[in-house]
Amino acid sequence: MYGIKNTLKKLTFSFLVIAGVAGCTAQITQPTNSPQKETAQAAAYEFTLEYETLEMKDGVKLAVTFYRPVAKKPGETFPALIEMVPYRKDDFFALSDYGYGAYFAKNGYVVARVDVRGTGGSDGPVPVSEYSAAEISDAEQIIDQLSKKEWSNGNVGMYGLSWSAFNSLMTAHRKPPALKAIIAAHGSIDLFYNDVHYNSGALTLDYYSHQISTDNALPQSPDYRIDETYFKNRFDKKPWIFTWMREQQDSEFWRQESIKFKEPLSVPAYVIGGLLDGYRDFVLDVKQHSTAPVIAEIGPWNHAWPEYGAPGPNYEWRQRALRWWDYWLKGVENNVLDEPRWMAFMRTGQPPTADPAIVPGYWRCEKNWPVQGSTVQRLYPQTQQKLTGAPTSKTTSDSLKYVAGAGMAAGGWWGEQTGDMSTDDRNSLVYDSAPLTQAMEIMGNPLVHLRVAADAPFYQWSVRLEDVAPDGTVSLVSGVSINPSQRHSRLSPQALTPGEPATLTAPIHFTTWRFKPGHRIRLAISNAQFPMLWPSPTPGTTRLILGKNTWFELPVVPTRDATDATCPLPAPEPSDEAPFGKTLEDTGTVFTRQRDDEKGESTFTTTSSVVWTQYDNEFRSAESYEWHVKDASPANAHFKGKRRNTFTIDGVKIDLLGEIKVESDATHFDVTFTKTLHKDGTLIREKTWIERIPRRFQ
């Protein structure tokens, strides 16, 4: 690794290292005087790290790190757990991967952490896009190969968070014989409507779209060689954002690997979501799109595993994961399928706050979904900003001026921790219920049905469900964006006819919430959710037509006392820390919102930086992004950003900078992406891509 000859020499006094020439294998056992060694001795198995490659049918070799238990008796075999992502196992993810690999290896599982072809340490060119057919085919081949290893018992599982949740679900759909079960956290079965690029069909320019293409341009680990093969396969490859920007409508491009449009899933799945994560709908999606057993859990946190996700409360999910794997991969008879298969955290109506450590609420364990005793309550917006249980007797309408820069209080994606939503509500139509006389708990996807009209062919609608406290503060419960061009068909979009009424229907993103007595339920409707959604191009006015065709429904569940519904959950366990490196600095993501009402301008920025070491090498990564729009000219919004990765490997400094700018007008997007590579301060290569892409219903 990392200039492997020098690295192995440096490790002589702290590691027993066995470097295998065939297969390019390095085995590392932990030193006898390390705390990790003591932990491993106390567990069932010690383990080794092995750096190998697996060759695919087309000759491409994929880099894999094995966390392999040391057999206690001759001929002992183990199941394999695969996680395959492009996030560079040898540098970006080496430290965080270690805790999970160590945990499962010490409990009798071989963990295979694989870099997607064309990324990290794997050979081949960068794939054409995420979740390519080649990637999923590789996963099938890896499963087959590992099931036939001399150390294997023939059974394989896939697992992961985000990208590796996606490809675990996609691979499971193909039903490779050795794949017996999966664990997926924060994934999706619908790549157009429920992913980071088009939020419910509306363009979302998240910083990920720039981040991934910058990182894909880094040299291949562990040698970080800069040569013509590197330029051809990585640096000179056109960034993925150009492909995503051209694919502005649902199509076969998005549906090729989206299992929502395929036969139900038949591989058992343990799925985990978070109420503050953009992918939280997938938990219920998988539950409803599966014929195999599914265990589903949804906590109060963000895009993270349950033992550390913020905010808490947290629990140790890996204990249940072991029992899940034991049942499906080792044939251990336990009661994992006899326990409640649906668990969700019921938020009990916290006041608006941007950074709570713990969310007030309690865990609800249910035998299955839907929750027994569930009902639906329909509410209708009325004149004078009221919300009642019956439609208005006379059809009327409320007008809404489009304010393109509104929406920053809700953050960059539905579900982030938010402060008081009153600032967003000032540029919205709001409808409030009477104060509740008794508590109401909801769990599921509220449904909204709107009758609207507009003065231009295209606007977007943003719908937010909120909680208004007696003191007037407003908490965000959940929301949804609606692209009206897809109201009849996602595959065949149609423009609005100015002045002509249209009906829009959409499920609000999955949520849980207790509305307390004295609180009011609020429905807030606007035509902007900046910067989450790219602003629609025409300043003007829309109308909400009140009456029997404008309503929304709440998924009400029986209210419980927290002491009656508490689920017994183990406390988080500390993870083993990688003995070969540490994080020196991590700022997290810092958000800044600037709104000038007088000028009608909105600017949203994010910054982050991280520094870490592995062996004697130092790694730095920093990024900054900005979204900007003027209310008077919403067509001319922009997004720009920089990401710099500086890796110092055996004293050689590799500096890769990625810069992006997306500007729009009424008819097109202008996208510019530049990669710049320096080595020890000398410019090695610079390449810029520029493309003007027609704007289609975005």
Side-chain angles (χ1 to χ4, degrees):
M1 294 184 67
Y2 315 115
I4 193 163
K5 291 183 179 179
N6 290 337
T7 299
L8 296 183
K9 183 177 180 181
K10 294 169 187 172
L11 294 176
T12 301
F13 295 101
S14 57
F15 290 85
L16 170 62
V17 179
I18 305 171
V21 177
C24 193
T25 302
Q27 295 183 337
I28 302 176
T29 57
Q30 297 170 14
T32 56
N33 62 347
S34 76
Q36 286 78 22
K37 180 70 175 183
E38 294 171 6
T39 304
Q41 288 175 331
Y45 292 93
E46 294 184 358
F47 67 92
T48 61
L49 289 183
E50 303 171 9
Y51 300 92
E52 298 187 10
T53 60
L54 297 171
E55 186 170 340
M56 301 296 98
K57 292 177 182 178
D58 61 0
V60 171
K61 294 181 179 180
L62 303 185
V64 55
T65 298
F66 286 109
Y67 296 76
R68 192 149 77 92
V70 177
K72 292 184 175 183
K73 55 187 178 182
E76 185 177 12
T77 58
F78 306 96
L81 305 178
I82 299 168
E83 182 180 21
M84 184 169 72
V85 288
Y87 299 145
R88 303 187 62 92
K89 68 181 182 63
D90 296 333
D91 39 61
F92 279 118
F93 271 60
L95 301 184
S96 58
D97 284 345
Y98 187 88
Y100 298 101
Y103 188 96
F104 292 119
K106 291 191 298 185
N107 283 281
Y109 290 88
V110 176
V111 178
R113 169 62 170 84
V114 185
D115 279 340
V116 169
R117 65 166 54 214
T119 71
S122 292
D123 293 344
V126 172
V128 294
S129 188
E130 310 160 299
Y131 324 119
S132 66
E135 176 184 334
I136 309 307
S137 175
D138 288 346
E140 292 183 277
Q141 294 179 59
I142 293 167
I143 290 167
D144 181 64
Q145 289 186 31
L146 296 192
S147 72
K148 296 173 181 176
K149 291 283 189 180
E150 71 283 352
W151 46 255
S152 174
N153 74 350
N155 297 325
V156 179
M158 285 188 76
Y159 84 103
L161 182 152
S162 198
W163 186 299
S164 44
F166 282 62
N167 63 27
S168 292
L169 290 161
M170 294 167 183
T171 306
H173 176 263
R174 297 193 181 187
K175 297 182 282 193
L179 182 63
K180 305 303 182 184
I182 65 172
I183 297 179
H186 312 297
S188 174
I189 68 171
D190 186 349
L191 294 183
F192 182 67
Y193 249 50
N194 192 23
D195 197 4
V196 71
H197 312 300
Y198 292 93
N199 193 314
S200 297
L203 176 61
T204 306
L205 274 182
D206 187 85
Y207 53 76
Y208 166 83
S209 59
H210 171 250
Q211 184 184 74
I212 185 65
S213 287
T214 301
D215 294 351
N216 282 347
L218 282 163
Q220 183 176 356
S221 61
D223 296 326
Y224 298 90
R225 187 164 48 249
I226 297 174
D227 56 16
E228 287 306 312
T229 299
Y230 155 65
F231 292 131
K232 177 184 176 182
N233 283 344
R234 302 200 179 192
F235 189 92
D236 291 344
K237 286 294 183 181
K238 194 169 188 176
W240 286 344
I241 189 171
F242 292 95
T243 299
W244 298 329
M245 291 290 288
R246 287 192 297 268
E247 298 288 344
Q248 294 171 35
Q249 299 300 319
D250 198 2
S251 64
E252 180 57 27
F253 173 85
W254 300 107
R255 296 192 178 198
Q256 182 179 3
E257 298 297 340
S258 293
I259 66 173
K260 176 183 176 71
F261 306 102
K262 304 179 186 297
E263 64 185 34
L265 192 67
S266 60
V267 173
Y270 174 8
V271 291
I272 299 170
L275 293 167
L276 296 186
D277 184 71
Y279 295 124
R280 60 191 178 276
D281 290 339
F282 105 101
V283 173
L284 189 53
D285 288 345
V286 172
K287 190 80 171 170
Q288 296 176 330
H289 192 70
S290 180
T291 58
V294 174
I295 291 176
E297 299 174 358
I298 304 178
W301 45 74
N302 53 7
H303 199 65
W305 288 111
E307 86 277 16
Y308 71 92
N314 304 104
Y315 63 92
E316 186 48 76
W317 66 278
R318 290 173 294 188
Q319 289 189 16
R320 196 177 198 187
L322 282 175
R323 294 171 55 241
W324 174 260
W325 294 133
D326 285 350
Y327 182 84
W328 294 110
L329 305 186
K330 291 184 178 180
V332 176
E333 289 297 330
N334 54 35
N335 65 344
V336 71
L337 293 182
D338 298 329
E339 299 169 354
R341 297 193 196 174
W342 177 269
M343 183 180 79
F345 186 80
M346 177 59 66
R347 298 181 293 174
T348 53
Q350 73 266 28
T353 177
D355 192 25
I358 299 292
V359 172
Y362 65 97
W363 296 98
R364 288 186 63 147
C365 284
E366 309 288 346
K367 290 183 178 180
N368 223 319
W369 180 267
V371 174
Q372 188 173 5
S374 298
T375 59
V376 172
Q377 180 167 335
R378 181 175 290 188
L379 296 171
Y380 295 84
Q382 297 270 12
T383 56
Q384 299 180 333
Q385 300 183 322
K386 293 181 179 179
L387 197 61
T388 68
T392 179
S393 58
K394 182 185 295 186
T395 300
T396 184
S397 65
D398 286 339
S399 294
L400 175 64
K401 180 182 178 181
Y402 170 40
V403 179
M408 290 192 293
W413 206 358
W414 290 118
E416 293 175 359
Q417 278 295 345
T418 56
D420 196 311
M421 296 298 297
S422 299
T423 54
D424 282 3
D425 291 350
R426 285 200 296 268
N427 295 303
S428 307
L429 297 175
V430 296
Y431 302 92
D432 292 350
S433 72
L436 299 182
T437 58
Q438 59 185 16
M440 174 194 294
E441 290 188 357
I442 63 171
M443 180 186 294
N445 294 95
L447 183 67
V448 63
H449 187 276
L450 307 178
R451 189 72 169 162
V452 301
D455 62 5
F458 183 77
Y459 284 98
Q460 291 165 341
W461 267 262
S462 173
V463 180
R464 301 185 302 278
L465 175 61
E466 299 171 344
D467 181 335
V468 184
D471 64 2
T473 56
V474 184
S475 298
L476 178 64
V477 178
S478 190
V480 69
S481 55
I482 303 174
N483 184 326
S485 69
Q486 299 155 16
R487 63 195 182 281
H488 300 306
S489 168
R490 283 171 49 173
L491 296 174
S492 301
Q494 296 179 20
L496 295 168
T497 301
E500 184 177 300
T503 299
L504 310 178
T505 304
I508 292 174
H509 291 297
F510 184 95
T511 191
T512 69
W513 195 266
R514 173 183 283 181
F515 292 96
K516 299 176 181 178
H519 287 232
R520 291 172 288 158
I521 301 168
R522 171 171 289 181
L523 186 68
I525 301 169
S526 67
N527 298 119
Q529 198 64 59
F530 180 80
M532 191 187 310
L533 309 181
W534 195 265
S536 54
T538 309
T541 303
T542 64
R543 289 187 297 123
L544 181 67
I545 301 171
L546 305 179
K548 64 180 181 179
N549 291 317
T550 293
W551 47 261
F552 79 104
E553 292 178 338
L554 293 174
V556 180
V557 294
T559 302
R560 290 185 179 176
D561 185 277
T563 58
D564 296 332
T566 300
C567 308
L569 295 172
E573 300 174 19
S575 292
D576 285 5
E577 295 184 2
F580 48 77
K582 63 181 178 179
T583 300
L584 302 180
E585 173 191 319
D586 188 350
T587 66
T589 303
V590 179
F591 301 91
T592 303
R593 301 166 175 85
Q594 293 180 323
R595 171 69 184 173
D596 189 326
D597 286 323
E598 194 171 308
K599 294 182 178 179
E601 292 188 37
S602 295
T603 304
F604 188 92
T605 65
T606 69
T607 59
S608 66
S609 65
V610 61
V611 182
W612 73 102
T613 61
Q614 289 173 219
Y615 307 109
D616 292 332
N617 299 317
E618 183 181 86
F619 302 82
R620 292 177 175 269
S621 185
E623 59 188 15
S624 61
Y625 298 98
E626 177 188 282
W627 295 256
H628 179 80
V629 68
K630 295 181 179 180
D631 298 338
S633 53
N636 305 114
H638 79 236
F639 163 66
K640 61 183 180 181
K642 295 182 179 181
R643 179 170 171 85
R644 168 168 265 133
N645 296 317
T646 306
F647 291 3
T648 304
I649 311 296
D650 289 340
V652 177
K653 181 178 288 188
I654 299 169
D655 187 341
L656 175 69
L657 173 65
E659 298 176 277
I660 189 171
K661 189 169 187 178
V662 179
E663 298 175 300
S664 63
D665 58 28
T667 60
H668 286 78
F669 294 101
D670 292 299
V671 185
T672 304
F673 198 115
T674 300
K675 301 176 189 175
T676 306
L677 179 70
H678 286 82
K679 180 179 178 181
D680 286 336
T682 301
L683 177 65
I684 301 298
R685 202 176 191 93
E686 184 174 63
K687 189 174 180 67
T688 297
W689 293 262
I690 301 175
E691 190 169 337
R692 186 165 170 80
I693 300 172
R695 194 169 180 159
R696 296 186 296 117
F697 301 109
Q698 296 292 345

